[in-house]
Amino acid sequence: MFEMGGGVEVKGGKKTKKEKKKERLEGVKKEMDIDDHEIPIEDLEQRYNTNVTTGMTSTFARQVLERDGPNELKPPKGTPEYVKFARQLAGGLQCLMWVAAAICFIAFGIELARGNFTCFDNLYLAITLIAVVVVTGCFGYYQEFKSTNIIASFKNLVPQQALVIRDGRKDTISAKELVVGDLVEVKGGDRIPADIRIITAQSCKVDNSSLTGESEPQTRSPECTHENPMETKNIAFFSTTVLEGVATGVIINTGDRTIIGRIATLASGVGNEKTPIAIEIEHFVDIIAGLAIFFGFTFFVVALFIGYSFLEAMIYFMAIVVAYVPEGLLATVTVCLSLTAKRLARKNCVVKNLEAVETLGSTSVICSDKTGTLTQNRMTVAHLWFDNHVHSADTTEDQSGQSFDQSSETWRSLARVAGLCNRAIFRPDQEGIPIPRRTVVGDASETALLKFTELTIGNIEQYRNRFKKVAELPFNSTNKFALSIHELEDPLDLRYLLVMKGAPERILERCSTILIKGQELPLDEQWTEAFQTAYMDLGGLGERVLGFCNIYLNEKEFPRGFSFDPDELNFTTSNLCFCGLVSMIDPPRATVPDAVMKCRTAGIRVVMVTGDHPITAKAIAANVGIISEGSETVEDIAIRKRIPVERVNPREARACVINGGQLKDMSSDELDDALRNHPEMVFARTSPQQKLIIVESCQRLGSIVAVTGDGVNDSPALKKADIGIAMGIAGSDAAKNAADMILLDDNFASIVTGVEQGRLIFDNLKKSIAYTLTKNIPELTPYLIYITCSIPLPLGCITILFIELATDIYPSVSLAYEKAESDIMNLKPRNPRRDRLVNESLAVYSYFQIGAIQSFAGFTDYFTAMAQEGWFPLLCIGLRGNWEDTHLQDMQDSYGQEWSFSQRLYQQYTCYTVFFVSIEICQISDVLIRKTRRLSVFTQGFFRNKVLMSAIVFQILLGNLLCYCPGMPNIFNFMPIRGQWWAVPIPYGILIFVYDEIRKLGVRRAPGSWWDQELYY
Amino acid sequence: MSGGKEDEENDRKEHKGSWGDFFWNPRTQEMMGRTFKSWGLILLFYTVFYAFLGGMFVLTMYVMLLTLDEYKPTWQDRLTTPGMMIRPRGESLEIFYNLQDTETWDRYVQTLDNFLKPYDNSIQVQNNDNCIPDQYFIQEDSGEVRNNPKRACQFNRTMLDFCSGLDDRYYGYQEGRPCIIIKLNRVIGMLPGRDGQSPYITCASKREGVTLGPIQFYPPNGSLNLMYYPYYGSKAQINYTQPLVAVKFLNVTMNKELSVECRINSNTLVTGNQRDKFAGRISFKLRISA
């Protein structure tokens, strides 16, 4: 009783330990919970013992530095190289080979102990097995090393500097030395050195896109605007950049305690998922090991029954188990995967882990980040409203889209306002670069307008020079407009032109007329309504809308030389003439809608998970087809039916947009439900933790999940995903580190290629494995017959190794070049529980049907060679004892001739070679039938796979070399055999081919029938 | 993560539960994953499949056997140089015995007795011809008409003289002058000499500086007369008597292991193959303790 109690306690103790670990991780997963942004500044000063004007004292700062450590992120624990290498040696197949090698050593040891010093086969076999594992390990390691090298980005070695105020003095110090409570000053272009609470700010904007996914610059100001620290405007985060303006702030978190640090910790705390292919290979190893032990044990019993000693039977048992190990398979799988990896790399998908090559093929859900992945991460003018019409601008990256009608007079005015009332300028010396890709100094919307006008009206710099600017008022958040005053192009016209842009409602307030087809019309109710509709429409598209207006200032009131004072606004700013609206969006990449469509036809669900706002997210989702045309959310249905949201049956809605706030309140079951019920999902305003939760939820539902992303905020989800795909250009280091695959061109469409290649390699690996497994039986049966019928050994160990590792490698790899049998992109993703890489019917068909035919071919050839040399088949049975007696130099054959031991041995080698040739001939037939699983080989194209054809030629040539190269008999036990013996197995080869064509015909003709179920693999 | 673990556990539980069901699942009437009908069908399929394969195998074997010649193997690729063998051959070509201990050499004597029984003159005269020496005894078939059974030449036991076991019942073993009989392996159609020169056997010590002492060969010179060749196979030449050469070691150093190598000397057979230690030669060990 006592002992039992103790046991339970120990168990309980373990559990709590596990739970604690889990809890810790859950804790990290929870939202950041601080109040530093809410408390009054005085409290903050007290809390961190600082002062918002003079900063901390340097002595105290030093103390804090000692307490908290330097302000830097602990570098992620990189996997040591030897661990990476060791991992290459510890896969499922590798383990099988290690066990086999160990068994070989044991068998060899037993043989030695019994005093048999001549049989080194087991030793050779063990060494070869180990060599194969090590060589393929090196190969795999080299492959991964190479792709890691491509990915490895140059770390920013220049230490970051920060402007800190301590003891009332400004000082530039290394950002590492900053501590909590330090007062720092940042300005446009700086990276924020730690998480800071803003104390003062002047038109300060930061780019949070890498952290939150928001593509728009975020204003930072001293007011606390939200209780959530991620949402409030008075906190700026470590590693984000200041786009413009200046700000001072107090550091509230440093190093790993910053938001970014927490995300990094989260990412490193998330376990890597096993790749589907690794799971498949383990399953396959289980099958092999099971069969091996079954066979071994059966023949162990048989051997005991026949009358062998226990030790001998044990050795046979081990030999059979080892013979079952497909030595060549590891190399085949590794080479096939790396071929695909290479093919993908050519299409700009770099795979960090070879096994991840296949994962995309099994993927059933893609959780895609929006900014930078689906979109260009570049504000672009999308729509214009003038002449009471919405015009679409060309948003494609290469300006290949349709443009709108630019003949209207109104357009000219609108373009003039857009071009002139704009402070953004191109960086110099960019003539060669296409306009959309040029770098610009200025904020996002002005940049968009600058590029837009440059594209539509030509060289904007010259254009601006023609209209000399006399005064300007930049945009600020109180006015919500910007204006500038220009001289006119025509030197005779002495009027000034005032151009203004800003929030549409503010602009409209100041207008009294509206320009329609070049005519100034009074802005009456009707036009106001038209304006409202247009504004709502464009806003509903998730676009940022700006209004534009202008006025020619009265020549008399404002003569030349009038000094305009933008601060005092000593000039007309009302009764202006409204020109139109321009709306901007971060547009989707051109290739994305098509790629999303392809994913859909391939049965892959694309879910958007973004940090951006729901409206924008939904608009982009609809734009790229994540929410398909005609799909409605619950809210849409409610509006359409004019009923409250609560009364809508959620199951009617195909689409669903969930934002982070809602997600926070959902239990995991509710989330699962939502994912189950709505095929089209968009998650907006999500935190990195929530992204992780979403991925987990998808995985709970049995999906294989791919996550695409570029920002730090995506990295935990990237790691958790079955395959994380990071963007190569826009992607942050954290994202690239966590990812399994990198898209070098940031092109979402490459994912489709990845899916296609993944599915193809899955199918082709199946074929390669089937091909490789088949010959296991003709390699094993000789030994079984040798044991049970005591015939001279028909096939030697070294010969088997040559089949496995030399002649048959190239053909099995060549199957990786086979084209898809059907349109694999129109099929559903495979079900990881049902559609296995190696299923029972594949193993059974390969082993017990094709393998059996090959064995019969081998034995036919064996007995032919024996009989023609003087040993009739019936004599062979039971011959073994004398045959292997090294001292018996005059053994009689069927004709009465006498043979010495060496002569018999060379005859045995001849048998090996003959058996080898039989397997080769049958394997040629085998590789041809493996080209397809369902289609007729003739439909697939007999000679279409050139690599396969050359592989067959290679196989024959190598076989001939082994047979006829002088010296082979004594080195590798190959004998120059008679040409006739090559022909003996050919009928069996033809049988294999014909039989498989019949099988495929049956499978095609009667889908779902008994034949299909039993014989389709 | 937690979900994954739970799933795993569930799977394992299910697995455990289904282990008993695997053999007999009463719910689906399945035994080892299949219903009886399904088992029946699959077994029937494999029966037919293997019956066909077995039939094909038997057929090809039958056709192959039809192509074989009853009297002569199709190929003799391995038998270009015939092997040699000794009698008695001991456990592993080692002839060790003790003069004092009768039992140690008695078994050799018995072996030789048995071995030489068919060579008794009476049997030889009854079955075999007295051929013309120093020339091949060729008995070719005339086209399709077989010239069977073929005759064989007499090799009388008396030709071994002191080693025939007729005068000296113990073949010299009891007096430390043992006889060892050497034979050349039978190979169909082999012609071991040219120009009427019969091959002969010589013996020497394998170790330098060790002498074997005087050796006597029977028949004289240790030659294998050409008239015993060619051999026509056990089926055509039922009474073929293999020619023998007896070697008598006349003065062996006692208590010392001798390595003896005997080889055939012929102007047609190639000997000296490095790999095959028994092609046209034989090595054995001899030690007589006193």
Side-chain angles (χ1 to χ4, degrees):
Chain A
M1 273 304 278
F2 266 105
E3 270 181 28
M4 253 180 80
V8 167
E9 222 173 70
V10 169
K11 234 183 182 175
K14 262 184 194 167
K15 217 175 191 175
T16 47
K17 214 175 189 180
K18 223 182 218 172
E19 269 169 11
K20 257 183 206 163
K21 203 173 175 187
K22 215 158 126 190
E23 262 169 32
R24 211 184 309 149
L25 201 66
E26 291 297 329
V28 179
K29 273 188 203 169
K30 271 190 202 129
E31 303 301 317
M32 175 159 127
D33 199 18
I34 55 168
D35 61 352
D36 285 337
H37 56 295
E38 288 173 312
I39 55 171
I41 287 181
E42 293 73 37
D43 290 2
L44 192 74
E45 283 181 323
Q46 213 160 28
R47 181 178 290 178
Y48 294 121
N49 195 8
T50 182
N51 185 298
V52 293
T53 47
T54 59
M56 298 171 95
T57 58
S58 30
T59 40
F60 184 65
R62 215 170 301 123
Q63 281 171 24
V64 178
L65 184 65
E66 242 160 65
R67 188 190 69 198
D68 291 350
N71 172 35
E72 58 186 359
L73 293 180
K74 246 187 252 131
K77 246 189 254 155
T79 328
E81 295 298 311
Y82 70 90
V83 172
K84 279 190 201 164
F85 186 69
R87 229 179 260 158
Q88 292 286 343
L89 303 180
L93 276 176
Q94 286 87 335
C95 288
L96 189 71
M97 308 263 284
W98 283 121
V99 172
I103 293 176
C104 284
F105 274 125
I106 295 171
F108 177 66
I110 294 176
E111 290 277 353
L112 271 190
R114 290 170 74 205
N116 188 350
F117 295 97
T118 49
C119 185
F120 288 100
D121 277 3
N122 275 318
L123 185 67
Y124 296 150
L125 191 56
I127 291 169
T128 314
L129 285 169
I130 292 169
V132 168
V133 175
V134 172
V135 168
T136 46
C138 290
F139 183 76
Y141 175 76
Y142 172 70
Q143 286 290 328
E144 287 189 11
F145 180 75
K146 239 178 24 185
S147 43
T148 330
N149 262 7
I150 298 173
I151 292 153
S153 49
F154 294 105
K155 290 262 157 14
N156 192 8
L157 291 176
V158 184
Q160 202 192 335
Q161 300 291 312
L163 192 62
V164 70
I165 299 163
R166 281 183 187 168
D167 307 322
R169 274 200 316 272
K170 278 190 190 180
D171 203 0
T172 304
I173 61 167
S174 164
K176 271 197 297 195
E177 291 164 31
L178 291 178
V179 295
V180 169
D182 258 336
L183 186 66
V184 288
E185 202 177 293
V186 288
K187 59 178 190 306
D190 285 353
R191 269 181 71 192
I192 309 249
D195 284 358
I196 58 176
R197 168 165 176 183
I198 306 289
I199 305 297
T200 63
Q202 274 125 44
S203 59
C204 174
K205 279 187 181 173
V206 290
D207 175 13
N208 271 0
S209 66
S210 80
L211 192 61
T212 62
E214 290 159 305
S215 43
E216 289 182 31
Q218 304 293 307
T219 323
R220 294 290 102 160
S221 56
E223 308 87 51
C224 170
T225 56
H226 204 287
E227 57 180 31
N228 184 342
M230 295 298 288
E231 303 270 357
T232 185
K233 280 203 185 335
N234 63 346
I235 289 189
F237 300 106
F238 181 35
S239 90
T240 60
T241 45
V242 182
L243 292 172
E244 58 181 58
V246 286
T248 56
V250 172
I251 295 180
I252 53 174
N253 276 317
T254 56
D256 284 332
R257 289 168 300 280
T258 58
I259 295 289
I260 223 121
R262 284 176 196 221
I263 294 172
T265 327
L266 184 59
S268 62
V270 170
N272 246 337
E273 294 291 294
K274 226 180 221 166
T275 59
I277 199 80
I279 294 170
E280 288 306 316
I281 286 174
E282 269 170 31
H283 173 246
F284 158 64
V285 167
D286 283 352
I287 292 185
I288 300 243
L291 276 173
I293 290 170
F294 170 75
F295 262 80
F297 187 73
T298 309
F299 279 87
F300 175 71
V301 173
V302 168
L304 282 182
F305 194 72
I306 290 173
Y308 287 107
S309 72
F310 180 81
L311 205 62
E312 275 174 315
M314 202 63 214
I315 289 175
Y316 294 152
F317 171 77
M318 291 193 264
I320 290 168
V321 170
V322 171
Y324 234 99
V325 176
E327 292 92 352
L329 198 62
L330 180 59
T332 305
V333 171
T334 314
V335 173
C336 284
L337 288 178
S338 56
L339 275 177
T340 307
K342 226 171 170 187
R343 221 176 292 166
L344 282 176
R346 230 175 289 140
K347 292 183 174 157
N348 289 323
C349 299
V350 175
V351 177
K352 270 164 73 177
N353 170 6
L354 266 192
E355 282 174 348
V357 163
E358 189 276 331
T359 314
L360 260 183
S362 318
T363 296
S364 47
V365 174
I366 297 176
C367 291
S368 179
D369 181 37
K370 178 183 78 72
T371 315
T373 311
L374 298 173
T375 67
Q376 303 168 15
N377 199 12
R378 182 154 59 201
M379 272 296 183
T380 309
V381 171
H383 292 99
L384 303 101
W385 181 76
F386 58 84
D387 290 350
N388 197 18
H389 270 290
V390 173
H391 302 263
S392 303
D394 182 7
T395 52
T396 53
E397 290 138 293
D398 51 358
Q399 293 301 307
S400 57
Q402 286 258 310
S403 197
F404 53 95
D405 176 26
Q406 300 180 356
S407 58
S408 165
E409 194 63 37
T410 321
W411 155 246
R412 229 163 287 156
S413 302
L414 180 60
R416 189 169 60 190
V417 183
L420 294 180
C421 184
N422 192 337
R423 297 205 304 161
I425 49 163
F426 287 111
R427 285 254 166 83
D429 307 323
Q430 297 195 78
E431 276 71 32
I433 304 169
I435 294 161
R437 264 191 258 147
R438 292 188 194 165
T439 48
V440 174
V441 185
D443 80 8
S445 55
E446 294 205 328
T447 304
L449 287 169
L450 173 68
K451 286 179 177 171
F452 177 65
T453 46
E454 178 88 9
L455 280 167
T456 47
I457 56 178
N459 192 326
I460 206 74
E461 218 176 310
Q462 284 175 19
Y463 187 79
R464 282 185 194 162
N465 289 342
R466 293 210 295 271
F467 296 88
K468 200 172 149 246
K469 195 192 277 179
V470 288
E472 71 174 342
L473 174 64
F475 188 88
N476 70 46
S477 48
T478 41
N479 298 343
K480 295 222 157 123
F481 67 79
L483 64 79
S484 59
I485 297 165
H486 300 263
E487 286 173 11
L488 282 182
E489 201 176 358
D490 181 359
L492 298 177
D493 195 341
L494 293 177
R495 287 179 299 174
Y496 282 104
L497 175 68
L498 182 146
V499 287
M500 184 192 262
K501 71 165 183 208
E505 63 276 7
R506 293 293 177 85
I507 296 295
L508 197 73
E509 280 167 14
R510 296 175 183 274
C511 292
S512 58
T513 56
I514 180 165
L515 206 59
I516 299 292
K517 304 229 155 100
Q519 302 278 311
E520 245 181 80
L521 300 180
L523 188 64
D524 55 19
E525 288 266 305
Q526 190 199 335
W527 289 121
T528 315
E529 202 171 303
F531 161 87
Q532 286 299 350
T533 328
Y535 182 28
M536 290 298 288
D537 282 354
L538 294 176
L541 293 174
E543 297 175 4
R544 191 202 298 181
V545 190
L546 289 177
F548 294 83
C549 63
N550 64 2
I551 194 168
Y552 291 101
L553 295 176
N554 194 323
E555 195 182 340
K556 295 196 180 113
E557 245 181 282
F558 305 102
R560 273 291 141 103
F562 182 86
S563 87
F564 293 98
D565 185 351
D567 293 331
E568 294 294 319
L569 291 182
N570 59 351
F571 45 86
T572 322
T573 53
S574 56
N575 293 330
L576 311 177
C577 174
F578 190 80
C579 298
L581 298 171
V582 173
S583 67
M584 283 154 287
I585 198 163
D586 174 17
R589 292 163 185 275
T591 48
V592 168
D594 198 34
V596 171
M597 197 60 219
K598 277 188 183 154
C599 287
R600 269 182 187 233
T601 47
I604 301 169
R605 197 170 160 195
V606 184
V607 172
M608 183 192 276
V609 181
T610 178
D612 212 340
H613 294 273
I615 297 172
T616 327
K618 192 181 162 197
I620 294 290
N623 214 324
V624 298
I626 289 177
I627 294 178
S628 54
E629 232 174 285
S631 291
E632 291 176 308
T633 62
V634 173
E635 290 78 16
D636 291 333
I637 294 176
I639 292 166
R640 180 167 55 84
K641 290 190 172 168
R642 292 170 201 284
I643 50 172
V645 175
E646 299 78 47
R647 280 179 49 206
V648 177
N649 178 5
R651 282 172 203 274
E652 275 178 46
R654 274 182 65 77
C656 183
V657 181
I658 293 179
N659 70 40
Q662 290 167 290
L663 195 59
K664 212 183 212 169
D665 302 330
M666 286 169 93
S667 70
S668 50
D669 285 341
E670 282 170 328
L671 179 60
D672 290 0
D673 261 355
L675 277 164
R676 245 196 300 264
N677 293 329
H678 306 285
E680 297 168 356
M681 295 287 296
V682 171
F683 292 93
R685 296 306 286 163
T686 48
S687 63
Q689 290 89 337
Q690 287 173 332
K691 290 191 179 194
L692 193 58
I693 289 166
I694 293 164
V695 172
E696 279 176 3
S697 179
C698 290
Q699 285 173 336
R700 247 198 321 274
L701 295 175
S703 307
I704 292 188
V705 184
V707 169
T708 64
D710 57 346
V712 180
N713 58 337
D714 300 317
S715 56
L718 284 172
K719 192 127 183 237
K720 178 69 193 171
D722 295 285
I723 176 164
I725 306 164
M727 299 294 142
I729 303 168
S732 56
D733 282 355
K736 286 183 197 167
N737 266 331
D740 304 297
M741 189 187 253
I742 314 259
L743 302 182
L744 289 184
D745 56 356
D746 285 17
N747 190 348
F748 186 80
S750 307
I751 292 175
V752 178
T753 318
V755 170
E756 197 172 352
Q757 291 297 335
R759 289 184 176 188
L760 189 59
I761 195 64
F762 187 83
D763 279 3
N764 286 346
L765 261 185
K766 211 171 197 170
K767 294 172 183 172
S768 288
I769 290 175
Y771 171 81
T772 313
L773 287 189
T774 310
K775 59 179 179 284
N776 250 6
I777 288 296
E779 284 163 4
L780 185 64
T781 43
Y783 198 71
L784 300 183
I785 303 291
Y786 165 77
I787 295 171
T788 50
C789 300
S790 293
I791 57 170
L793 186 61
L795 188 62
C797 167
I798 297 177
T799 323
I800 290 176
L801 289 179
F802 266 97
I803 299 173
E804 288 280 351
L805 299 173
T807 54
D808 278 15
I809 288 282
Y810 190 16
S812 65
V813 167
S814 76
L815 283 168
Y817 289 92
E818 200 54 49
K819 297 271 178 302
E821 268 178 78
S822 52
D823 197 349
I824 38 175
M825 291 309 279
N826 285 336
L827 301 175
K828 287 216 161 338
R830 74 184 177 91
N831 180 333
R833 277 163 205 264
R834 232 186 18 241
D835 310 328
R836 313 308 302 254
L837 180 65
V838 175
N839 49 26
E840 275 76 11
S841 48
L842 184 150
V844 165
Y845 181 69
S846 300
Y847 279 150
F848 299 123
Q849 298 184 28
I850 303 300
I853 299 176
Q854 295 194 352
S855 306
F856 275 105
F859 277 107
T860 307
D861 215 358
Y862 164 78
F863 282 123
T864 304
M866 285 296 275
Q868 292 195 337
E869 292 281 4
W871 303 89
F872 289 178
L874 289 178
L875 180 70
C876 290
I877 293 166
L879 201 61
R880 182 185 154 199
N882 284 335
W883 183 275
E884 292 182 350
D885 182 348
T886 44
H887 303 297
L888 183 64
Q889 303 299 343
D890 55 347
M891 189 174 176
Q892 271 199 42
D893 67 10
S894 304
Y895 289 98
Q897 306 182 97
E898 290 169 323
W899 294 58
S900 72
F901 174 75
S902 284
Q903 287 163 347
R904 296 197 303 272
L905 191 64
Y906 283 114
Q907 176 60 22
Q908 193 174 325
Y909 292 166
T910 306
C911 293
Y912 292 179
T913 315
V914 158
F915 218 103
F916 162 81
V917 164
S918 305
I919 293 177
E920 289 312 293
I921 297 284
C922 288
Q923 281 293 82
I924 290 173
S925 185
D926 194 22
V927 77
L928 287 174
I929 66 166
R930 299 301 182 181
K931 281 165 72 78
T932 57
R933 290 186 292 142
R934 182 182 285 274
L935 289 183
S936 164
V937 170
F938 298 102
T939 328
Q940 178 81 349
F942 205 83
F943 298 106
R944 230 174 73 186
N945 187 343
K946 295 284 182 301
V947 182
L948 191 136
M949 284 298 137
S950 64
I952 292 176
V953 172
F954 165 82
Q955 193 179 10
I956 295 171
L957 289 180
L958 185 59
N960 273 291
L961 179 79
L962 288 173
C963 289
Y964 300 113
C965 182
M968 279 295 170
N970 301 316
I971 310 171
F972 295 127
N973 309 351
F974 280 92
M975 292 294 284
I977 58 163
R978 298 206 161 253
Q980 292 89 326
W981 294 331
W982 284 82
V984 175
I986 289 177
Y988 287 94
I990 294 169
L991 176 69
I992 289 174
F993 189 84
V994 172
Y995 174 61
D996 195 62
E997 280 296 313
I998 294 171
R999 178 190 72 86
K1000 287 169 189 165
L1001 186 72
V1003 167
R1004 287 197 304 275
R1005 282 290 162 83
S1009 64
W1010 179 86
W1011 184 269
D1012 184 25
Q1013 281 170 16
E1014 296 292 344
L1015 295 179
Y1016 180 66
Y1017 56 89
Chain B
M1 242 176 115
S2 55
K5 242 172 219 166
E6 270 168 35
D7 273 5
E8 240 170 57
E9 270 169 28
N10 280 348
D11 278 0
R12 213 174 300 141
K13 256 180 217 162
E14 267 175 38
H15 207 72
K16 257 184 193 168
S18 69
W19 195 231
D21 280 357
F22 179 71
F23 289 106
W24 172 247
N25 186 341
R27 194 161 32 82
T28 52
Q29 300 267 302
E30 280 175 355
M31 189 180 74
M32 298 168 88
R34 284 174 183 275
T35 59
F36 283 120
K37 192 182 161 214
S38 168
W39 272 116
L41 275 173
I42 199 79
L43 287 177
L44 180 71
F45 174 83
Y46 276 101
T47 313
V48 172
F49 184 84
Y50 283 112
F52 175 78
L53 264 183
M56 186 164 167
F57 177 70
V58 170
L59 186 77
T60 45
M61 283 282 88
Y62 180 71
V63 171
M64 186 272 293
L65 290 175
L66 282 186
T67 64
L68 295 179
D69 189 322
E70 280 181 83
Y71 302 100
K72 193 176 183 299
T74 319
W75 318 110
Q76 291 173 297
D77 299 326
R78 306 281 86 81
L79 301 175
T80 41
T81 309
M84 282 170 72
M85 197 53 177
I86 53 163
R87 289 291 186 280
R89 67 184 184 103
E91 275 298 298
S92 45
L93 301 177
E94 286 163 341
I95 295 156
F96 298 159
Y97 70 96
N98 194 324
L99 275 181
Q100 267 70 50
D101 193 350
T102 322
E103 269 177 30
T104 54
W105 49 265
D106 191 45
R107 52 196 169 119
Y108 297 131
V109 171
Q110 272 181 21
T111 312
L112 286 177
D113 279 345
N114 287 334
F115 180 73
L116 290 176
K117 202 156 275 162
Y119 288 83
D120 281 348
N121 289 22
S122 54
I123 298 172
Q124 286 297 315
V125 169
Q126 193 186 334
N127 290 334
N128 291 345
D129 294 4
N130 207 345
C131 307
I132 310 155
D134 297 330
Q135 71 180 56
Y136 291 124
F137 183 39
I138 292 176
Q139 310 165 67
E140 285 304 309
D141 300 327
S142 48
E144 282 300 295
V145 186
R146 296 279 186 188
N147 175 19
N148 287 342
K150 296 184 198 299
R151 307 292 302 162
C153 298
Q154 289 178 16
F155 187 97
N156 292 320
R157 192 163 171 176
T158 44
M159 289 164 81
L160 297 177
D161 217 333
F162 287 112
C163 286
S164 66
L166 299 174
D167 303 332
D168 176 2
R169 271 184 53 230
Y170 302 119
Y171 304 93
Y173 279 83
Q174 92 281 28
E175 56 192 14
R177 302 160 121 192
C179 281
I180 284 166
I181 291 175
I182 296 172
K183 67 192 191 65
L184 186 68
N185 280 354
R186 291 193 296 267
V187 174
I188 292 177
M190 179 183 68
L191 303 171
R194 224 175 10 201
D195 310 326
Q197 286 184 3
S198 299
Y200 60 96
I201 285 165
T202 52
C203 291
S205 169
K206 271 182 102 174
R207 265 186 232 124
E208 272 180 44
V210 179
T211 55
L212 300 175
I215 298 172
Q216 187 70 48
F217 289 97
Y218 310 97
N221 295 334
S223 72
L224 297 160
N225 201 289
L226 288 185
M227 67 180 173
Y228 300 104
Y229 300 96
Y231 174 52
Y232 285 102
S234 55
K235 191 150 187 185
Q237 214 169 7
I238 300 158
N239 291 322
Y240 181 72
T241 310
Q242 204 168 0
L244 305 172
V245 168
V247 187
K248 194 172 179 71
F249 294 90
L250 297 175
N251 187 11
V252 179
T253 321
M254 294 287 153
N255 298 326
K256 191 164 185 196
E257 190 179 297
L258 296 175
S259 280
V260 187
E261 186 184 67
C262 297
R263 55 169 62 233
I264 186 99
N265 298 277
S266 149
N267 49 14
T268 55
L269 301 177
V270 185
T271 53
N273 184 331
Q274 284 301 305
R275 300 274 168 190
D276 188 350
K277 296 272 182 271
F278 296 92
R281 53 185 161 163
I282 182 149
S283 312
F284 58 93
K285 285 174 182 154
L286 178 66
R287 189 175 69 199
I288 305 167
S289 322

Coordinates of all heavy atoms in Angstrom, one line a residue, chain A residues 325 395 399:
Chain A
V325 N 15.9 -5.0 -44.3 CA 16.2 -3.5 -44.3 C 16.5 -3.1 -45.7 O 17.4 -3.5 -46.4 CB 17.4 -3.2 -43.4 CG1 17.8 -1.7 -43.5 CG2 17.1 -3.6 -42.0
T395 N -3.2 49.4 -59.7 CA -2.4 49.1 -58.5 C -1.4 48.0 -58.7 O -0.7 47.6 -57.7 CB -3.4 48.7 -57.4 OG1 -4.2 47.7 -57.8 CG2 -4.2 49.9 -57.0
Q399 N 2.6 48.1 -63.2 CA 1.8 49.0 -64.0 C 1.3 48.3 -65.3 O 1.3 48.9 -66.4 CB 2.7 50.3 -64.4 CG 3.0 51.1 -63.2 CD 1.7 51.6 -62.4 OE1 0.8 52.1 -63.0 NE2 1.7 51.3 -61.1

